[in-house]
Amino acid sequence: MELNNDEIRRYSRHLILPEVGLAGQKKIKSTSVLCIGTGGLGSPITMYLAAAGIGKLGVVDFDTVDYSNLQRQILHTEADVDRPKTESAEETLRGINPNVELALHNVRITSENALDLIRPYDIVVDGTDNFPTRYLTNDACVLLKKPNVYGSIFRFEGQASVFAPHLGGPCYRCLYPEPPPAGMVPSCAEGGVLGVLPGIIGCIQATEILKLAFGKGSPLIGRLLLFNALEMKFRELKLRRDPQCPVCGEHPSITGLIDYEQFCGIVPEPELGANPDEVTVQEMKKALDHPALGIKVVDVREPDEYEIARVQGVPLLPLSELPQRFTELDPNQQYYLHCKGGVRSMKAVNFLRQQGFKYIKSVKGGIAAWSEEIDRSVPKY
Ligand SMILES: [Zn+2]
């Protein structure tokens, strides 16, 4: 592994660091990294790894660029909206450093393909945004003995660690043996995230990868770094390997990949119209257009969201206030409830049903579907 004159010039600020030097830069060049996800975390991770001269960089993402990604996913530009994220990532990363070998995997990582995807790489970095993929990535890395550089973000808070049981540390399951109940932890799409936050956590992950590559410093193995952007505070927790861990413990019960959707309690979405508790936005429109039908529509989102976008004539009763305020509703009245995407309105339906409400349904797809299918002048957020 040699560096040509252009590379020596490009990496000169690394080469003059005694901790990196020519030997370290060659190690970086001989390292391959697979980044799962090219979103908020994947953007700074892959951009800095490409700039640093990592030898081979694989990216896995099946998604296309959405307008609402641009607030934080700096790999992608406005011109990339609707393009596959891997394509857009390729263009940006090639522009940063053409010396890096790129491997683009425009697929969803699953229990069927994860081991084959991960096997050829030295290091895996978790830039995922959901629990099934996070457990899948963890288990595959433990089984293949690959370091898993972990990061996650939510609202103003993030965390990072390096999971590597084969190097003596714990794995993600040692820290979180059980996933949270499905729907309990909102996604960034529901809960929001400060755009710069994945930049900070992703840069920490990229730093850990480079340290693993050139082999200096103290990695985040056995440590969980917690960051709060509002307070601008870092904290650190010591992590221990759990000897009872089902995947990295002394007597593992998980020796192959499992069904992670099922493990995380996610039930496959029923066919359209198959859920008797749901109505479509077309039915919601009919109810609004024809008051004689006697169906009232209620918005269960939060006031901040109501301010961003609302459907004319639909009153607000936030889900968070429902336990105190449901008496304002008539248990014999027929209601359609909507939220942003249909998850919280279903929770409201279940809650009100327990309070004896009989004629109550959730609007599938929420105001997002309304904006897409009924009235484009309602902004999507
Ligand atoms: Zn473990």
Side-chain angles (χ1 to χ4, degrees), residues 171 174 245 248:
C171 81
C174 296
C245 175
C248 82

Side-chain angles (χ1 to χ4, degrees), residues 76-139:
H76 318 294
T77 67
E78 191 163 330
D80 297 318
V81 168
D82 292 333
R83 274 179 90 189
K85 285 188 175 178
T86 48
E87 245 178 52
S88 157
E90 179 186 25
E91 212 170 273
T92 306
L93 297 172
R94 255 195 228 304
I96 292 173
N97 190 349
N99 300 303
V100 175
E101 182 190 346
L102 295 177
L104 307 156
H105 308 284
N106 187 11
V107 291
R108 187 190 287 270
I109 188 167
T110 65
S111 303
E112 284 68 45
N113 63 18
L115 294 174
D116 289 335
L117 278 170
I118 290 173
R119 197 174 285 114
Y121 293 90
D122 300 318
I123 300 171
V124 173
V125 53
D126 179 352
T128 61
D129 60 356
N130 65 81
F131 289 100
T133 317
R134 193 162 292 141
Y135 279 97
L136 166 64
T137 303
N138 177 72
D139 292 2

